[in-house]
Amino acid sequence: EAMIKILTEPKNSLVKQYKKYFEMEDIELIFEDEAIVEIAKLALKRKIGARGLRSIIENVMLDLMYEIPSMKNVTKVTITKESIQDKSKVIIKKGKK
């Protein structure tokens, strides 16, 4: 529970930081609740604590951050539990901007 709070509650939380990055590209970024729980579980499982949360998120987000700007008309990206588990099932919605 504390890990989830660290990910979401502070003014400069990791989730808010990534949402802001995507906002700069006019893209809505959504982390499903299950994805956030999975990030926390992985950090505990790997015994890397709160400092390791960033590495888990970056593992999924870095590729997206490089690929998304070159894609046309992306309006929304949703990170699912499966996205965190195996870097798949990221939902990319396209539409008019």
Side-chain angles (χ1 to χ4, degrees):
E1 199 172 299
M3 296 284 214
I4 293 169
K5 286 183 180 183
I6 291 168
L7 280 169
T8 59
E9 288 185 8
K11 183 179 178 183
N12 64 341
S13 72
L14 291 172
V15 169
K16 290 177 185 174
Q17 288 177 32
Y18 280 104
K19 285 185 177 193
K20 195 70 168 169
Y21 293 144
F22 278 74
E23 201 176 278
M24 287 185 227
E25 297 288 335
D26 291 325
I27 298 170
E28 180 183 7
L29 176 64
I30 297 173
F31 282 86
E32 290 184 345
D33 291 339
E34 295 84 17
I36 292 173
V37 170
E38 189 63 24
I39 294 166
K41 283 182 183 177
L42 277 174
L44 292 172
K45 182 179 173 183
R46 295 178 185 172
K47 297 180 181 171
I48 53 178
R51 292 177 188 258
L53 294 171
R54 179 175 295 279
S55 68
I56 294 169
I57 292 178
E58 280 180 355
N59 192 32
V60 175
M61 300 304 295
L62 280 179
D63 290 341
L64 275 174
M65 290 174 67
Y66 287 107
E67 292 170 11
I68 294 291
S70 64
M71 294 178 169
K72 300 268 188 225
N73 301 321
V74 175
T75 58
K76 186 176 183 180
V77 174
T78 304
I79 306 300
T80 65
K81 178 181 177 180
E82 292 80 12
S83 307
I84 303 302
Q85 291 173 334
D86 57 18
K87 292 177 74 173
S88 66
K89 305 245 180 165
V90 172
I91 301 167
I92 298 173
K93 182 179 177 188
K94 296 183 177 188
K96 293 182 180 180
K97 285 190 175 186

